[in-house]
Amino acid sequence: MAQTMQTLPENGHKDSSFAPNRHAFHADDLKLQPVADKVLGGERLGFEDGLALYRSGDILAIGWLANYVRERLHGNVAYFNVNRHINPTNVCVAACRLCAFGRRKDTPGSYTMALEEAWETAASGYSEAVTEFHIVGGLHPDLPFQYFLDLVAGLKERFPQVHIKAFTMVEVAFLAKRAKLTIEETLRQLKQAGVDSLPGGGAEIFADRVRHIICDHKIDGDQWLDTARIAHKIGLRSNATMLYGHVENEEDRVDHLLRLRALQDETGGFQTFIPLAFHPDNTPLEHLPRTTGLLDIKQIAVSRLLLDNFSHIKAYWQMLTPKIAQISLRFGADDLDGTVIEEKIYHDAGATTPQGMRREELIRLIREAGREPIERDTMYRPVTRSENTFTVAV
Ligand code: SF4
């Protein structure tokens, strides 16, 4: 029996005057017609549909469909935010082959911020009144759980208006193990200290075969999903990601997206999906080529089409480049992420993008794509600014 697409609530900020005047669907690749029939009929796509999309080179037809869904959900609006990344340590006990960021303790280039240093780092990006701190780091073998609780509590005390999006499912599971606590208790204590939501990293690709190659020291796909399930249960929303463009195949990508979709059906706790293009430089997988523009754009579009129960698809400009991210706004994406002051993780892996972008530049990118920019906070509430302060509409 055909499954109907989940109905997402219409976005409150959708421009009601926006009336797309689009041409009828046309595919050069006739294998896409059955997929199009489902999308236009509000029917949920399945595994084979995902494969058909990945295996087609008809990027304009795929983009047309993704844009159709994107505009149905968000009209002409495109989101961005003003945020700062804080990576408290790059010391990590894991040695994921996908990673250029983690270092062994006491090796050249390794660092761990003292709490004061982390709080000062947060303040140094405050000139544009950030609305979000995005905090992720390595799996440090010695830092006690209390360090992370104090880090978050100290930030909340100093910047009570700023949303704290902190610690991937992988970090949470590691902290729980180190503190000999359950995942639920660990998350409850982090929430109590001031964590407002969780980022989506560490998901990589759920398929075991791939995980063994790229990150065999990490929790497995089921554990990642279980940790997200518990976070959602206790009222912490999270994002979700997928790292593509390494040793995975099309089946692995579709499997990953459908497993996320199944958990979203269950909890509704995912906020945004972010496809992450693999950057091989300075990793043990350096011999692999970088992703192409076509794959990057297709990944955005296929995500929009398969993840019918996710409100937002983010084109993370740091990974995709501002140019590809901008084009993605017409291929299914509704969000560019943010100013991202001081990105480290992908720059260690050879990202050539700037480590941050001014608000005005994000607005220019969005406007030039023919979209209407809306600055949002982490929960997608519109932000109004004056000078160096901001107000969040609630
Ligand atoms: S990806 Fe994360 S867990 Fe893996 S080595 Fe890098 S910092 Fe450590």
Side-chain angles (χ1 to χ4, degrees), residues 37-100:
D37 291 343
K38 284 189 184 173
V39 172
L40 296 172
E43 204 180 307
R44 178 163 261 194
L45 299 183
F47 195 91
E48 292 302 322
D49 300 313
L51 287 184
L53 288 163
Y54 274 124
R55 289 175 181 164
S56 174
D58 194 350
I59 191 69
L60 293 182
I62 298 168
W64 190 99
L65 291 171
N67 192 51
Y68 171 83
V69 174
R70 179 243 186 268
E71 289 185 353
R72 186 169 50 76
L73 291 170
H74 303 291
N76 206 29
V77 160
Y79 297 95
F80 71 98
N81 69 344
V82 175
N83 58 352
R84 186 184 222 296
H85 284 203
I86 304 170
N87 306 119
T89 180
N90 67 351
V91 172
C92 191
V93 292
C96 304
R97 288 188 192 87
L98 61 85
C99 182

Side-chain angles (χ1 to χ4, degrees), residues 69-359:
V69 174
R70 179 243 186 268
E71 289 185 353
R72 186 169 50 76
L73 291 170
H74 303 291
N76 206 29
V77 160
Y79 297 95
F80 71 98
N81 69 344
V82 175
N83 58 352
R84 186 184 222 296
H85 284 203
I86 304 170
N87 306 119
T89 180
N90 67 351
V91 172
C92 191
V93 292
C96 304
R97 288 188 192 87
L98 61 85
C99 182
F101 171 74
R103 303 271 192 288
R104 293 285 175 194
K105 204 173 124 188
D106 300 326
T107 57
S110 63
Y111 73 86
T112 299
M113 292 179 183
L115 288 173
E116 283 296 341
E117 194 186 344
W119 297 327
E120 275 167 27
T121 301
S124 67
Y126 208 65
S127 62
E128 275 205 308
V130 300
T131 59
E132 171 190 281
F133 293 133
H134 170 99
I135 306 172
V136 296
L139 309 179
H140 196 294
D142 307 325
L143 279 179
F145 185 37
Q146 194 59 44
Y147 167 93
F148 296 94
L149 297 175
D150 292 345
L151 170 71
V152 169
L155 285 172
K156 247 322 172 226
E157 192 186 328
R158 286 163 179 78
F159 311 99
Q161 270 191 291
V162 179
H163 182 106
I164 298 181
K165 171 157 70 73
F167 312 124
T168 65
M169 307 308 161
V170 176
E171 290 171 272
V172 169
F174 182 75
L175 291 175
K177 201 166 156 193
R178 290 252 311 127
K180 298 191 171 48
L181 295 171
T182 61
I183 299 276
E184 180 163 340
E185 184 52 28
T186 305
L187 284 164
R188 283 192 191 282
Q189 290 194 28
L190 288 170
K191 188 177 178 201
Q192 175 75 24
V195 168
D196 297 303
S197 71
L198 274 66
E204 321 307 2
I205 286 276
F206 292 141
D208 285 343
R209 178 187 61 77
V210 177
R211 244 177 146 76
H212 284 317
I213 299 170
I214 62 170
C215 58
D216 53 351
H217 302 125
K218 267 186 185 158
I219 54 174
D220 66 22
D222 284 336
Q223 289 168 312
W224 191 97
L225 289 161
D226 279 343
T227 308
R229 180 180 286 110
I230 296 166
H232 299 170
K233 185 182 96 178
I234 68 160
L236 284 168
R237 300 202 76 190
S238 79
N239 289 340
T241 60
M242 176 173 87
L243 187 77
Y244 67 93
H246 40 85
V247 298
E248 88 287 5
N249 60 29
E250 287 137 358
E251 279 92 349
D252 299 324
R253 287 184 209 141
V254 176
D255 170 70
H256 186 95
L257 293 171
L258 296 191
R259 284 167 82 175
L260 285 174
R261 188 173 78 180
L263 182 57
Q264 179 75 331
D265 277 347
E266 192 185 319
T267 68
F270 288 120
Q271 183 125 281
T272 305
F273 177 71
I274 311 137
L276 299 173
F278 178 55
H279 282 244
D281 291 5
N282 306 320
T283 76
L285 300 173
E286 205 162 26
H287 57 286
L288 294 176
R290 285 179 175 226
T291 61
T292 62
L294 194 105
L295 177 61
D296 291 338
I297 288 173
K298 192 192 281 184
Q299 186 54 58
I300 292 280
V302 178
S303 306
R304 179 63 284 167
L305 289 166
L306 286 187
L307 296 178
D308 57 43
N309 53 4
F310 276 62
S311 290
H312 302 284
I313 303 292
K314 184 186 290 184
Y316 183 35
W317 67 264
Q318 288 270 3
M319 302 281 280
L320 296 177
T321 74
K323 293 180 182 187
I324 295 285
Q326 183 190 36
I327 295 169
S328 300
L329 293 176
R330 304 207 76 89
F331 282 77
D334 61 279
D335 190 340
L336 285 187
D337 199 78
T339 49
V340 192
I341 303 156
E342 215 181 355
E343 201 291 321
K344 286 190 205 299
I345 293 176
Y346 305 113
H347 285 82
D348 283 351
T352 53
T353 47
Q355 278 184 286
M357 200 190 293
R358 303 290 297 179
R359 218 175 144 266

